[in-house]
Amino acid sequence: MKSFTYERPGTPAEAAAAVARNPDAKFIAGGTNLLDLMKLQVETPAHLVDVNGLGLDTIEATPEGGLRIGALVRNTDLAADARVRKDYGVLARALLAGATGQLRNQATTAGNLLQRTRCPYFYDTAQACNKRRPGSGCSALDGVSRQLAVIGASEACIATHPSDMAVAMRVLDATIETVDAAGAERNIPIAEFHRLPGDAPERDTTLKRDELITAVTLPRPLGGAQVYRKVRDRASYAFALVSVAAVVQPDGTGRVAFGGLAHKPWRVEEAEGDLPRGARAAASGMLAGAAPTHDNAFKLVLAERTLGAALKQARA
Amino acid sequence: MKFDTPAGQNPIDQLKVVGRPTDRIDGKYKTTGTAPYAYERHDVAENQAYGYVVGAGIAKGTVRAVDTAAAKAAPGVLAVVTTLDVPKLGLGTMNYANLFGGDRIQHYHQAVAVVVAETFEQARAAAFLVRVDAAPEAGRFDLAAEADSAPPVKADSGEGSGADGAERVGDFEGAFAQAPVTLDETYTTADESHAMMEPHATIAAWDGDRLTLWTSNQMIAWAKGSIAKILGIPKQNVRVDSPYVGGGFGGKLFVRADAVLAALAAKAAGRPVKVALTRPLIPNNTTHRPATIQRVRIGATPDGTITAIAHESVSGNLPDGGPETAVDQTKLLYAGANRLTALRLAHLDLPEGNAMRAPGEAPGMLALEVAMDEMAEKLGIDPVEFRIRNDTQVDPNQPERPFSHRNLVGCLRLGAERFGWDRRDRRPGQVRDGQWLVGLGMAAGFRNNLVMKSAARVRLDASGTVTVETDMTDIGTGSYTIIAQTAAEMMGVSLDRVVVRLGDSDHPAAAGSGGQWGANNATAGVYAACMRLREAVAQRLGINSADATFADGEVRAGNRAVALAVAAEAGEIVAEDAIEYGDLSKRQQQSTFAGHFVEVGVDVDTAEVRVRRMLAVCAAGRILNPKAARSQVIGGMTMGVGAALMEKLSVDKRRGFFVNHDLAGYEVPVHADIPHQEVIFLDEVDPTSSPMKAKGVGELGLCGVGAAVANAVYNATGVRIRDYPLTLDKLLARMPDAA
């Protein structure tokens, strides 16, 4: 960990301004990911802007009939919220599928969206990684890639996004609210929030550097059966090989997003029309263009079968 | 005390204290955070500075230069020692990789520098400023690619359970060719990491030319000798102290870089220095269990009599390193007139392979006991029955040499009964419980019992307190408790009158913790010392020791009864002795046995495997403390689930290192993976093992359980995977239709 300076601003706009002033500054909230990365010098901020004192920790109903979740609402509290449990079951289930009780107590809503990949080469500073050090290359491409992306990847990066929560939010069409140093607010649909790596894998999201997430808004409840099915090598405390967030209506129509497959939660709205025809039909559209490695080709079979399991569960 | 004839009746047989499920006497310290681990021993030396280790970022090559200017100029930095600052150091006993010194890099994350600073944070920050200029070289990292050309090897596992290269009995090839029913399959096991909770850590302090290491180590006498050898200093100038060890599993049998670098750093800084290996360094910097490729061939007659059995294994290691002795158990576990076992060893440039809990048997049983399951199916015989049919009461390689005590059959029969084995459907893939395909599997468990000299000192003071001093370690196993139980039984006092001091090289040298030899040998050493103390006590009291009984805090002879404490009124009585073994273990084969039974569910869609229940029935001589022993066995069973289902160091075959080098990437079972575990100990003694009549259980719980999991997966799905761990990607393509 490099030495850093630290401040606690009074308002979200001040926080954004503090980051804007210092090119080596970063926001810190729960710190469950950033601090680990700082210890390894994968992240080396010279200045931390602690947003924990900004409030932003309530869950409120919106006039549109949805929910507005403060950026600093802890994962545990979000998963336990009665409205979330009742109307957004897929989100509650996704949250509880992630990490551990201790981590969920500390991790925040915004921080969960912003967590960085778990690609082992990203974590090892002796290895080439375009996400950690742009232009250095990607060791994962011909390295150990069992956990890594099968779709939407690039020659520069095959990292996956590790979040469970974000997959559920993607299927719920959440909106990310931000404020920047100038005080300007912006609403970013979650579909446009996480990026594909392309030739700039160092950028995980479309946020500007000085843009602070203040809330995540969920639209009106979708109803239907809401399922989050996470597949991993052990029963708890492991990142997904594949996960499926699904909201399925009684007539068989619905929405679905995959985790563990790509640099972002993977949802293909155009293919969702095939859901009533079953997992195979829907998956073939959603996974069209996939380019797995030898190590992770199984994820395509697994994704289809996990979708099948999720649809079965939704019908049950 | 020489132990060369089977034990007769002795004071341990009273079983007033020994054999009871006593709580661990160190338990309250562990659970309240008052048992200090090595890195937490803030009070043992003043003015401790912090060292942080820099590991090589290449797998093989030469260090040309190390630029320490920026690190030395960083805040708080006291010293930087690089591998180029010291000549190549000596090797510790039974180790092959150079821990530090010189310009050669033999494996990834080999230590190349240690940075010492006033605080941990300063040392860590400065460590990232060290610039290492290293010239990489091509290396060999792929066991499968090297396997065919790997030469045969004669070797010893390092724990005494030797394998002697190829061993033959009768005519294996001829008998196998003639056998009406045969099996010839290849099984692969993964590189595994010990993944103990407490990382390797040491505080080092010099007093002139005398060095003290407060460290975390399983084998104090080995550590003392090795550190002296590595640093080139006299052994008598070294003290090693390791009273609490937060898990070892073989990874702390040896001195590691933390100890060497703490010593060098303390010398350079001129004050005590503490060094812990960071978690990401541990898998590549230290030792690991090597991967294996094993071929098993079995030939049998239709009635299930094995006529030919062969087990060959190839593994890799650094030059001069040893093989994983995965064929050991096959020499002893089943009958069969024609036999072949052989080891081959490939040269690999991966980190050093060495002992991990049950070296040899742990991976070997993963192959043999699946092969037995496959063979039973081919024969149409129940797998429990097939094993019973091929039981042997003698060493099949030397039929004149019997087992000292062997009740594998009892383990299997009782296990089958308790587990409900008769409800298993022999046809795989038949049982559904909702989303789950359910299967039952079993395997034999087998691990040898090793005897080893072990010494102790016992003191009796005027308060009647009995104090035991030995360098024996407690690595989470219960050594403190069973040693206290032994001393209490021998001296006729209650447990609260006994104080146990462990892990200090100033104490007499015990067998140490490894190879499941610790419990029997260390307590036998205490037994020997207590016999001496009893004689000394009797002498003080003017009693003929042969007539004396020690009970209820008194020494009794005839009509006389004297409080034990009275004997020490004129001064503390100190007695010391060691247990030393004759050739009983050569004349008779001492081994431990188990029946492992496992039920799994396999998700019909995703092929996720989840264990539903487990049972181990163990036969391991006298169980000194059933509670501590049970903990050992369920820990072994858990590790077996890890080996079967998830544990694998993933090798980057181009860059030559274990990629998943932290506990997020190297997955071991969590609580949610481990459901109901049951352990039953058969009530038995083995008088040939020691006066304690006990044998080890610490590794028995691991040996075979992974195969039982694999056999259960097959029974659930009909899919046979011979490549561990059985992750879902290997099952998926062959799963039955998920209707």
Side-chain angles (χ1 to χ4, degrees), chain A residues 1 39-41 120-121 124 126-127 139 142 144 146 229 231-235 238 298 302 305 309 312, chain B residues 108 124-125 128 603-606 608 610 651-652 654-655 657 659 661 667-668 673 727-729 732 736:
Chain A
M1 189 179 282
K39 289 172 186 172
L40 297 167
Q41 294 209 5
Y121 297 94
D124 187 336
Q127 297 300 320
S139 297
D142 61 4
V144 174
R146 181 171 178 269
R229 183 74 170 84
V231 181
R232 42 188 160 176
D233 288 321
R234 62 180 172 190
F298 75 95
L302 182 61
R305 293 182 74 122
K312 246 192 307 188
Chain B
Y108 198 75
R124 180 173 61 187
F128 281 89
D603 187 285
V604 69
D605 291 303
T606 63
E608 291 158 289
R610 297 289 181 258
V651 181
D652 184 321
R654 299 172 68 93
R655 297 167 188 84
F657 73 110
V659 169
H661 51 60
E667 293 183 12
V668 299
D673 289 298
T727 46
L728 60 89
D729 47 309
L732 206 54

Side-chain angles (χ1 to χ4, degrees), chain A residues 94-126:
Chain A
L95 282 160
L96 294 176
T100 64
Q102 293 92 329
L103 285 166
R104 293 194 296 268
N105 287 343
Q106 178 70 6
T108 65
T109 303
N112 190 316
L113 288 171
L114 293 173
Q115 65 182 301
R116 309 215 65 193
T117 186
R118 292 285 167 166
C119 174
Y121 297 94
F122 176 71
Y123 268 72
D124 187 336
T125 49

